[in-house]
Amino acid sequence: MGDLARLKAFYERLTPAVTETFVPDSPIDPDRLTNHLAGVTDGEAISYGLAAPDGLIVGHAFVQPLWDGPPVLGIGIEERLIGCGLGAELMRATLADCDALSLPVVTLTVVKTNLRARSLYLGFGFVARGEAAFRRPGDSLYMERRLGGQASNG
Ligand SMILES: CC(C)(COP(=O)(O)OP(=O)(O)OC[C@H]1O[C@@H](n2cnc3c(N)ncnc32)[C@H](O)[C@@H]1OP(=O)(O)O)[C@@H](O)C(=O)NCCC(=O)NCCS
């Protein structure tokens, strides 16, 4: 199974508890995944799939675009594996790549009620800079992490 099929299967398996704060267009448009992986090949995106021993992808973190506008980070883990430290593992790998590329800033939006994700992002040096819209205006925070900024841990 190729990367596209495995990534598509991951997004198709996600339960509403995950998609409601992670995937704006669930079920995800497969063209978005195709374009994302093409971006990785072209050096325009970062993508980490977390693979289980059987090869299934159980988590995905990405940053895109890298050079054409502010880089946006997204991350999601299968519901049954939430809270096991895998999100932190994916964040560590993804942000190490961002720092290796000397990206001056990485941005994200997070639904205000998503306290686990907010805590993870704070721990990796993201700072809330304002409000954003995910499902509706003002339901989310816009956060930034600047190169060389201090993380509280990680
Ligand atoms: C948000 C999400 C990716 C986090 O991944 P996770 O594997 O569940 O989280 P982890 O167990 O790695 O980490 C969460 C904990 O790490 C802690 N943490 C913060 N910074 C950390 C760091 N630098 N290193 C390790 N742990 C850290 C947090 O305190 C948090 O603990 P808490 O839940 O007790 O407050 C995951 O829960 C998920 O996919 N949720 C549904 C989809 C979603 O909301 N995606 C984010 C959209 S913005």
Side-chain angles (χ1 to χ4, degrees), residues 4-77:
L4 177 60
R6 290 165 71 219
L7 201 54
K8 189 163 169 283
F10 163 72
Y11 278 95
E12 284 172 355
R13 273 197 317 279
L14 288 180
T15 47
V18 175
T19 57
E20 70 178 357
T21 52
F22 176 44
V23 190
D25 57 336
S26 185
I28 196 167
D29 177 355
D31 287 347
R32 279 221 291 143
L33 298 178
T34 305
N35 292 337
H36 170 61
L37 291 178
V40 175
T41 304
D42 295 343
E44 289 165 5
I46 293 168
S47 187
Y48 273 96
L50 190 70
D54 60 7
L56 284 184
I57 291 179
V58 295
H60 184 221
F62 57 86
V63 180
Q64 191 173 17
L66 296 183
W67 314 114
D68 184 20
V72 181
L73 181 145
I75 182 168
I77 305 278

Side-chain angles (χ1 to χ4, degrees), residues 48 50 59-61 73 75-77 81-96 116-117 119-121 123-124 126 153-154:
Y48 273 96
L50 190 70
H60 184 221
L73 181 145
I75 182 168
I77 305 278
L81 296 171
I82 280 176
C84 302
L86 297 175
E89 202 177 301
L90 272 178
M91 287 290 284
R92 215 167 278 126
T94 306
L95 292 174
R116 186 189 302 276
S119 161
L120 186 67
Y121 300 149
F124 279 87
F126 283 85
N153 60 51

